[in-house]
């Protein structure tokens, strides 16, 4: 099965703000950015479309012609728990340094680690791969796309963060049933 992962457009939050699963607004350039994304998807025959339930993804799915994309919470960005909507340089939590030292296995206070997010996304992709579909569109987040690339064997956990998809970026992967 082919999956086309589409990252939401640019968010309107100050640089350095931790916003994972917070439903943040998009920049005023949404229409221009979304039109570029839409134009890159024209003519691709998707059997189904899925989206993170956050508005930054559902809005793009709707703009691109998929207002009925199935919402699935497993496609959410990583949960930063108590750190959500705080500037990284202002987070007062002794666990922050522990997180920076091993974000793959250490969860944000009240949130998730990257490995927990990977498990959640992998569960979704494994279930999706068992469906009789040929090509699926997924409107989602940068961290979720990284997880999908790790799941598909494109990147290792150690190297995936060097390959962040830009806002409005599109990545197509092939997945099969995991045993």
């Amino acid at each position: 099965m082919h999956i086309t992962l589409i990252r939401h457009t640019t968010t309107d939050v100050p640089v350095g703000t931790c916003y994972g699963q917070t439903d943040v607004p998009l920049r005023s350039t949404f229409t221009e950015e979304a039109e570029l994304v839409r134009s890159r998807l024209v003519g691709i025959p998707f059997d189904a479309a899925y989206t993170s339930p956050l508005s930054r993804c559902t809005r793009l799915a709707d703009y691109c012609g998929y207002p009925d994309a199935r919402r699935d919470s497993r496609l959410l960005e990583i949960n930063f728990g108590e750190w959500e909507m705080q500037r990284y340089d202002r987070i007062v939590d002794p666990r922050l340094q522990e997180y920076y030292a091993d974000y793959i296995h250490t969860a944000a206070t009240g949130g998730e680690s990257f490995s927990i997010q990977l498990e959640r996304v992998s569960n979704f992709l494994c279930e999706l791969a068992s469906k009789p579909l040929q090509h699926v569109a997924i409107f989602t987040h940068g961290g979720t796309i990284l997880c999908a690339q790790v799941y598909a064997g494109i990147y290792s956990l150690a190297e995936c963060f060097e390959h962040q998809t830009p806002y409005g970026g599109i990545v197509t992967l092939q997945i099969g049933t995991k045993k």
Side-chain angles (χ1 to χ4, degrees):
M1 166 189 302
H2 286 32
I3 58 171
T4 295
L5 300 133
I6 304 109
R7 187 176 181 194
H8 60 79
T9 59
T10 310
T11 57
D12 191 14
V13 295
V15 173
T17 301
C18 182
Y19 64 88
Q21 290 188 2
T22 301
D23 207 2
V24 298
L26 295 169
R27 284 201 183 152
S28 62
T29 56
F30 170 77
T31 302
E32 293 82 16
E33 291 180 65
E35 184 56 32
L36 288 172
V37 173
R38 189 198 62 73
S39 71
R40 293 177 61 204
L41 298 176
V42 169
I44 301 175
F46 294 115
D47 299 315
Y50 291 83
T51 184
S52 159
L54 294 181
S55 66
R56 59 190 184 261
C57 296
T58 60
R59 188 173 170 197
L60 182 59
D62 185 51
Y63 187 93
C64 291
Y66 301 94
D68 297 324
R70 295 176 201 136
R71 286 148 176 76
D72 195 303
S73 61
R74 293 173 293 179
L75 297 172
L76 285 165
E77 184 58 277
I78 195 166
N79 179 354
F80 284 113
E82 295 176 17
W83 304 346
E84 293 271 339
M85 294 313 293
Q86 293 187 55
R87 289 185 49 87
Y88 283 103
D89 60 359
R90 294 191 184 143
I91 295 173
V92 181
D93 185 335
R95 295 197 62 246
L96 184 63
Q97 293 310 312
E98 185 181 334
Y99 178 82
Y100 284 154
D102 184 14
Y103 55 86
I104 291 174
H105 300 103
T106 302
T109 302
E112 298 176 302
S113 65
F114 186 71
S115 61
I116 292 171
Q117 182 187 19
L118 176 61
E119 182 178 340
R120 171 170 47 84
V121 173
S122 294
N123 177 273
F124 170 82
L125 293 172
C126 187
E127 181 181 307
L128 186 65
S130 71
K131 296 179 184 275
L133 301 169
Q134 297 297 311
H135 199 161
V136 175
I138 300 173
F139 295 86
T140 193
H141 309 274
T144 305
I145 294 172
L146 291 176
C147 289
Q149 291 172 315
V150 170
Y151 174 87
I154 305 299
Y155 302 119
S156 68
L157 275 172
E159 69 179 341
C160 71
F161 282 93
E162 298 168 20
H163 303 281
Q164 185 65 260
T165 302
Y167 292 115
I170 298 173
V171 173
T172 298
L173 303 173
Q174 186 165 346
I175 62 170
T177 304
K178 298 282 182 177
K179 295 188 178 170

